[in-house]
Amino acid sequence: MTGSILIVDDDPVQRRLVEAALTKFGHSAIVTDGGEAGLDVLDGPNAREVSVVILDLIMPGLDGIGVLKAMRERAINIPVIVQTAQGGIETVVSAMRHGAFDFVVKPASPDRLQTAISNALKVEAVEDEVKRASRRRGGGHLTFKDMITRSPAMDRVIRLGQKAAASNIPILIEGESGVGKELVARAIQGSGDRRSKPFVTVNCGAIPDNLVESILFGHEKGSFTGASDKHTGKFVEANSGTLFLDEIGDLPLDVQVKLLRAVQEGEVDPVGGRSTVKVDIRLISATHRNLLQQVKDGKFREDLFYRLNVYPIFVPPLRDRRDDIPYLVRHFMEKVAPTDPRRRLAGISAAALAMLQAYDWPGNIRQLENAVFRASVLAEGDVLTEEEFPQIRAQVEGTVNLGAEPASAVADTVADVPLNEDEVADTMGPALSDGEAPAKPQPRFGTLRALDERGNVRALADVELEMIRLAIDHYNGQMSEVARRLGIGRSTLYRKLKEYGIDPEAGRLDRLAS
């Protein structure tokens, strides 16, 4: 018996139609009339009953995209099926970028709705099984050797992390949502002398403001309404070990004062307590925000910022470490495999992998994992193809030739990229082998040269610059079109132009000539 389906829609007629369809297929429904009401359910005591959310995108007040953003910020991982009367690709892309599982166009047929719900429940069930299996296998300590990366962009992260593990100074890990900041924190803890001690995580952005102080520092019984028992707090819970404060930039200013004292003095004041409690912790903080800007805006204490920012580590986004995508894809596919040993995927097609590498992944590794997870569970064949990634394909189509040989560093000469690690190493070329790189075929017709005059592979920066110049010339300086065709955001394009010392306002190839 599955849980309830939460319907979030401001249209009473549409709510009745969807509820009737769900009832027909044996589901129970919780009906709300807008985004705020829907979030109240997801934040309330009945949240555990909700298995799937059916969410209208266009609503007054808090719209569907706003709900998706709030769910991501609060780490609510229930699958969402969005509904829209505007079925354009722009609308769908926006919803998928913000974490929607699937979409249906109004008025959706009951069968289409049931298919979407069944797929969501199927993926959710496998995900739960993977989590249970991970807990059963637990007990080991994560180190930097366990991190799945071959990208040069991550070399600095690992080098800094290994040095940090040998000390006890506060660490601030910066980076976009989904890049793996907690993974880096766990690797630091697992590589240091506190590896056998507690590792306690707190998502500061997911705690209601009125409960932050109690959750962090604890409270005495009866200290406030609802405090029926004594609570030790996360600082005391992490005593002798490591405390990981994720999204530290979301802490209220009044709590920041207490946090500063805890970091400086090594002691905390429980709410309602008569004395302080000494703690010995290793503090690792993380944020996706620009804390220095928040200091300037008066949203973050300057003294706390400098106390936390003793040893900063920046984790680059996935779009800057695309070399990691083949390894991450294989890892995520293998996580799904044990849930159904009778049906093991053989691999992923080279065209699908090239497509995944062409995409910008605004949700970073978390978004990639969700996409591969969904594709692996719902795939009908034994090899993942671009057909298993319809939302990604819709956004990438036009930037990569899905019918051609992939132009990435992945498998220029093979049809499929298998799951077996040795086979992957054989087909991935220089990125996956310790020996000399195999000779690469030249481009079939005049786009970009892969080799220089001496027969050596050209530097990636040179090829990238040439590609940008070619695109600007080809699209007559229309920067939005250039960014779309290159498969990057407009802001990313302007940043790259500045990095190469090019005037972003120039826009024409003749202005780029040097």
Side-chain angles (χ1 to χ4, degrees), residues 319-320 322 360 460-461 464-465 468 486-504:
R319 61 183 174 275
D320 291 342
R322 297 176 195 264
D360 242 8
L460 185 60
E464 180 179 67
L465 175 58
I468 291 173
L486 288 176
I488 60 178
R490 187 183 172 96
S491 60
T492 302
L493 173 61
Y494 278 102
R495 176 173 55 79
K496 288 184 178 294
L497 289 174
K498 288 181 180 178
E499 287 173 358
Y500 290 121
I502 298 169
D503 180 5

Side-chain angles (χ1 to χ4, degrees), residues 430 433-438:
S433 66
D434 296 325
E436 184 177 340

Side-chain angles (χ1 to χ4, degrees), residues 401-428:
N401 184 356
L402 300 179
E405 221 171 322
S408 66
V410 183
D412 276 347
T413 56
V414 297
D416 299 311
V417 179
L419 283 181
N420 179 273
E421 187 165 359
D422 295 331
E423 293 178 57
V424 171
D426 290 341
T427 60
M428 291 284 186

